[in-house]
Amino acid sequence: MTTRITIKRGDITKEKVDAIVNAANRSLLGGGGVDGAIHDAAGPELLKECRELGGCETGEARITRGYRLPAGFVIHTVGPVYGHARGREKALLSNCYLNSLKLAKARNLKTIAFPCISTGVYGYPQEEAARVAVGTIRDFIMENPDDFEEIIIVTFRDSDYAIYKGLIKD
Ligand code: AR6
């Protein structure tokens, strides 16, 4: 059975999956947007574990427990700030999705939910970012068809939901 890709609308902190992905910053010490929502819902133990990680470079990923979240784990990845990565934005954003999937696979996790990384505070154009996300996820599934049961994209904005639905229907 090959991996299912699902597009949802809503709050990623409510997802009952093996891991949710956080769009963090390089400090991994919390912030606004989805990062703030995840830390609020997970509770202070999450920040404590994040402090021990010592940060994360752009495009890389780190894993922690989920604490009070319904998700078992949080995979923290750092997207590029659009316009500040000297043309490497696309490659770095793709690495966020790929490295998160690799980390989850290494832990034998079967369900994972992503937010629209870099498209909020970090300013990545929504449609361009969605193409990178879907392309990277599809390439991963082609090479690893049975590793995940479900890969979910949780969109917060209606505009993102429409973009992803348009990309995924074919
Ligand atoms: N569930 C799902 N998606 C959400 C939620 C939520 N609860 N809340 C916001 N989004 P952003 P970035 C969407 O700004 O651009 C933080 O301060 C939001 O609508 O959270 O990667 C970090 O600490 C948008 O579509 O992340 C970094 O400093 C998407 O999540 C910086 O922001 C990403 O928006 C990272 O910026």
Side-chain angles (χ1 to χ4, degrees), residues 55-88:
C56 178
E57 289 304 317
T58 305
E60 294 183 5
R62 300 284 182 272
I63 191 164
T64 63
R65 290 168 56 195
Y67 299 97
R68 298 177 201 172
L69 290 164
F73 294 90
V74 180
I75 295 174
H76 307 262
T77 188
V78 182
V81 179
Y82 197 77
H84 290 260
R86 285 175 281 143
R88 298 186 59 237

Side-chain angles (χ1 to χ4, degrees), residues 5 15 41 51 69 91 105 127 130 138-139 141 143 160 164:
I5 303 179
E15 288 297 321
R51 281 212 179 91
L69 290 164
K105 174 184 157 119
E127 173 121 25
R138 281 193 169 138
D139 286 349
I141 293 172
E143 283 174 30
D160 273 317
Y164 275 94

Side-chain angles (χ1 to χ4, degrees), residues 10-13 22-26 30-38 77-80 114-124 126 154-157 160:
D11 178 357
I12 201 167
T13 66
N22 182 17
N25 57 59
R26 290 193 300 154
V34 70
D35 194 3
I38 288 172
T77 188
V78 182
F114 285 95
C116 303
I117 299 165
S118 277
T119 62
V121 174
Y122 282 0
Y124 210 115
Q126 288 166 257
V154 182
T155 60
F156 202 63
R157 287 175 288 188
D160 273 317

Side-chain angles (χ1 to χ4, degrees), residues 119-148:
T119 62
V121 174
Y122 282 0
Y124 210 115
Q126 288 166 257
E127 173 121 25
E128 262 181 75
R131 287 183 188 281
V132 174
V134 170
T136 306
I137 291 168
R138 281 193 169 138
D139 286 349
F140 182 90
I141 293 172
M142 292 261 275
E143 283 174 30
N144 308 269
D146 300 312
D147 285 343
F148 289 94

Side-chain angles (χ1 to χ4, degrees), residues 103-118:
L103 253 185
K105 174 184 157 119
R107 298 280 183 123
N108 208 23
L109 306 182
K110 297 295 173 197
T111 53
I112 183 169
F114 285 95
C116 303
I117 299 165
S118 277

